[in-house]
Amino acid sequence: MGQIAENLKTVRERIAKAAARAERDPASIKLVAVSKNKTAEEIKQAYEAGQKCFGENYAQQLKEKYEQLKNLSDIEWHFIGHLQKNKAKIVAPIVSWMETIDSLELASALDSRAVNPINCLIEVNIGGEETKAGVPISKLKTLMGGLANFKNVHLEGLMIIPPYSADPEFSRPFFKKLKEICREYSLEEISMGMSHDFEVAIEEGATIIRVGTAIFGERK
Ligand SMILES: *Cc1c(COP(=O)(O)O)cnc(C)c1O
């Protein structure tokens, strides 16, 4: 077995164990393999090991890999990076999921360029960090109201990247908070948890986890 296939197997086992601890069905947790700065060939190896969802951070990389892997037509592409409005035309026709909506203008640009419906998540700046992307909690309600009337863009939930700490327990209160907000607004999808903290995220209710390093190895 290749390294990527082996890593995937380990990650899936860890997902299953965390789900069991939380008395959740592991099938209710979507694993997005984050392939930024990795090659189409590496994505193909993960695909051959049964992985169908991939997350990309940059519009141009997404487009190039999408073109290279077009024959693998059941890949589900997630966009998880900061996206400028003028790049919406590149991303909208490719992705099934847009996890980082941060303005009505971006949503509108995606809506008008989409070919198929796009499941959208609003990125929330849960730690109130000045340097981080995402919408402050105080502005969430207004943005959600504005998103209600699009044709292709459908709001399904929220996404966070909490402030970083090597200790996964540091993320737990942020995960709890996001779950609470999702419950308050009856949003189903909760995207949280990365290589270093996805098990805690699962314990706290994540429905989507985004894992890069633990699958593909360190990035350059
Ligand atoms: C890079 C990235 C990830 C994956 O991070 P790892 O620590 O490599 O698992 C997850 N989410 C977002 C938004 C990212 O940019």
Side-chain angles (χ1 to χ4, degrees), residues 11 31-35 193-195 198 209-216:
V11 167
L31 171 62
V32 177
V34 175
S35 46
M194 304 173 28
S195 289
F198 71 83
I209 58 172
R210 310 174 311 266
V211 179
T213 312
I215 295 171
F216 293 110

Side-chain angles (χ1 to χ4, degrees), residues 128-142:
E129 294 171 283
E130 246 168 58
T131 55
K132 245 197 211 138
V135 177
I137 294 172
S138 60
K139 300 213 166 122
L140 207 46
K141 199 170 176 183
T142 308

Side-chain angles (χ1 to χ4, degrees), residues 80-125:
I80 62 168
H82 180 65
L83 185 65
Q84 287 169 330
K85 264 191 326 240
N86 61 358
K87 303 233 167 105
K89 60 178 179 296
I90 302 174
V91 169
I94 299 175
V95 297
S96 313
W97 289 77
M98 171 64 192
E99 299 205 14
T100 47
I101 294 285
D102 59 3
S103 73
L104 205 52
E105 291 72 25
L106 175 60
S108 173
L110 287 163
D111 190 64
S112 61
R113 300 288 190 153
V115 185
N116 295 306
I118 305 176
N119 299 311
C120 287
L121 309 178
I122 296 173
E123 180 175 2
V124 182
N125 187 347

